[in-house]
Structure formats: structure tokens, C-alpha cells
Amino acid sequence: MELNGDLTGRQLFPADNWWNLDISGAPVDPQSSAFIAFIGADDRLHPDFGPPPYGIPYVVVGADQPRVDVTFDPYGAESDTGAPGGAAGYPIPDEARTLAGYIEGAQPGGGADGDRHLLIVDRDRWLLYETWATRYEPGIGWTAGSGAVFDLATNDRRPDGWTSADAAGLAVLPGLVRADEVFGAAEIRHAFRFTVRSTDGYVWPASHRAGSTPGALPMGARLRLKSSVDLSSYGPEVRKIFRAMQRYGLIVTDNGSDMFIQGTMDARWDNDILNPAFRSLRASDFEVIELGWRP
């Protein structure tokens, strides 16, 4: 079991999955300018991650990790009780009950505030387990607001209308800015998840709505950093992140603060570098690609 463990270079989901699509040549949506204006053309980007306690950690386990039952409320009817066609339960390490750093928010057992995402990769079965509003209560056990299990070897999508551990019904981990990728040798080959203050319905690849504000972007909408944005002044790690925004873009996955980009909780992040670099980009440096576009 490893916190922010090594995924041995394996890409999460197949190469043609929505997270991994090259959108550099995708058409711009006719309402792109209006959507960007709704967000606020001068709104700055913000890295919603960093060293503890900022960002979302993930845990890598093996097939021998025991599974435990999780009680889901209020989205029990839309939550997975275990792996598709497999054993019930989630492979949550015992350490998550008593140690900080396993659950978003860095509170042992999850605490009672915040999104409290818990992300677990079974590297042997290549399954991703995710929960939201996660909490361990002595005498009761593990509870969460919702949960989903994804087979990372397939492009299976949540049923229409269903949530996941994310408001859009998508997986969380594949959309995070991860330190192992940023500081590694290879290019980042996936989109990033981000939030806006309000949304209006959903489009593919999302499966779930969390708002109906006229003029707002839907869940699942994609932004692309314009190819005209010059990245030459940034350091190599930041430049790699921004290149991925030009090639794979950003996907709206939740309501929150405008233009907040999510990443992992990792001691290797330096927010004295990330914060000013992200703030140098505005919403107007992006364009919205055709809603629901797929190749």
C-alpha cells in the first residue's frame, strides 16, 4: 500500500477515453465567448492543490488489500457497493481511520467537513475506487455520500442521471494534476478537472447535473488553452502542465470556485511557483470546444 503510489507509467483508462482525448483540433463552440464571459474573462486560474493539506491524495493497493463495506447516503441508489461483477466492498487501508493524508482534507478518518474524497487504485485488478464525503465513525464503520468503482481497462460510463464521487459522474483521479507526471520525463497525456461557480445541466462525457443556471457551462464541458498562448517563459514543470491544457484541455466536473484546477496533495509541490504561474493565465486565454464533442 502506497500513498500517491507509483502507477508504473500506466495510463488511467484506454487511450481513446474522454480523459485522454487530444482535443487540439476540436471545433470551438459557437457560444464559447459567451461562456467565457459568464465565468469572467479576467478570472485567473488557481491551482487547487499543493503540499499537505491541499489537494486530493490517492492510495495504491494490491489485490490482497481487504475490502470493507461502505454505507452511502444520500446517493446510495447511484453508488456502487463494490467492483463490477466482483467482490463487494472497498479496499480501504486501516491506516485511513487513524492517520492523516489518506482522505482529502488531511484529517484522520476523513473528519466532518469538505469534499473528503478517498481515491484508491487496485493496481493488480486495475480498478479505481472513489468515494465522496468519506468518514469513518467508530461503532458504525465507513460512510460516504456517494461512491463509484471504475474498470480502468474500459471506457464504461456511468448511467445517465447517475453521479459518482464527483458531481459530473466522472472519475476524479484521471483528471488530477499529479506530481509523478509533472516531475517525470514523459508528457502529460490527459485533461484536468476544474470547477466553476455554477453549471447548467450536463453533456457527454458527464452523466449528472448539479445546477441549471442559464448561461453557465454544463458539466462535462471542455475548455482548451489557446495555442496562441506563449509558454516559453515558464519553468519546465509548469510548462508541461500548460501544454497539457492546450492538447487535452480542462473538463468541468463540479461546482466550486471559478477556474480552480484540481491536483494531488503532495509534498513535492511548491505553491510559491504554482500560484503566480497559474495566476498569469485568465479565463480569456481559453476557448470552449463544441459541447459534447467526441471524435
Side-chain angles (χ1 to χ4, degrees):
M1 182 271 299
E2 301 172 90
L3 271 172
N4 295 344
D6 185 9
L7 298 176
T8 63
R10 297 177 72 181
Q11 188 170 43
L12 300 173
F13 292 116
D16 60 350
N17 184 267
W18 42 86
W19 283 111
N20 306 324
L21 288 178
D22 184 335
I23 64 164
S24 55
V28 176
D29 193 88
Q31 299 300 311
S32 175
S33 296
F35 284 130
I36 297 298
F38 182 93
I39 294 171
D42 289 330
D43 276 13
R44 308 280 182 157
L45 266 65
H46 178 77
D48 196 12
F49 58 95
Y54 306 106
I56 307 176
Y58 64 96
V59 188
V60 179
V61 301
D64 59 346
Q65 177 65 46
R67 293 169 177 77
V68 297
D69 291 334
V70 181
T71 301
F72 297 104
D73 183 66
Y75 294 104
E78 299 173 20
S79 295
D80 299 325
T81 57
Y90 284 56
I92 304 176
D94 287 341
E95 292 86 344
R97 296 182 298 168
T98 57
L99 298 179
Y102 286 78
I103 301 170
E104 182 184 14
Q107 294 295 314
D113 299 311
D115 285 342
R116 291 172 283 148
H117 287 107
L118 172 61
L119 315 180
I120 304 171
V121 178
D122 180 334
R123 60 174 165 244
D124 297 325
R125 295 187 175 91
W126 206 224
L127 296 172
L128 172 61
Y129 296 78
E130 299 188 337
T131 59
W132 164 74
T134 313
R135 185 178 185 184
Y136 181 80
E137 300 183 60
I140 296 176
W142 286 102
T143 64
S146 59
V149 184
F150 298 90
D151 183 342
L152 292 170
T154 75
N155 286 330
D156 292 346
R157 182 171 165 268
R158 304 289 286 169
D160 270 318
W162 279 35
T163 189
S164 58
D166 214 354
L170 301 173
V172 175
L173 181 59
L176 296 181
V177 183
R178 297 194 342 244
D180 65 308
E181 294 182 311
V182 171
F183 296 106
E187 287 293 302
I188 299 171
R189 296 179 294 152
H190 62 83
F192 301 130
R193 68 190 297 270
F194 83 112
T195 59
V196 288
R197 68 183 182 276
S198 54
T199 51
D200 184 14
Y202 68 90
V203 295
W204 187 91
S207 62
H208 186 258
R209 70 168 59 238
S212 54
T213 303
L217 284 164
M219 292 288 183
R222 290 176 177 268
L223 269 62
R224 177 177 60 204
L225 182 61
K226 295 175 180 177
S227 60
S228 59
V229 175
D230 183 7
L231 306 181
S232 61
S233 63
Y234 298 104
E237 288 82 19
V238 170
R239 195 159 60 242
K240 183 188 288 189
I241 296 171
F242 291 169
R243 279 200 302 267
M245 292 182 185
Q246 289 181 323
R247 186 174 180 187
Y248 300 97
L250 310 173
I251 300 180
V252 179
T253 63
D254 203 352
N255 296 326
S257 298
D258 283 327
M259 302 304 295
F260 271 47
I261 317 298
Q262 280 75 54
T264 58
M265 183 176 70
D266 197 295
R268 288 172 285 183
W269 297 127
D270 185 343
N271 283 130
D272 288 337
I273 294 174
L274 291 174
N275 285 333
F278 274 61
R279 277 193 58 80
S280 71
L281 295 179
R282 298 176 170 86
S284 59
D285 291 317
F286 291 78
E287 54 201 357
V288 180
I289 72 164
E290 184 180 287
L291 295 183
W293 177 86
R294 56 182 107 178

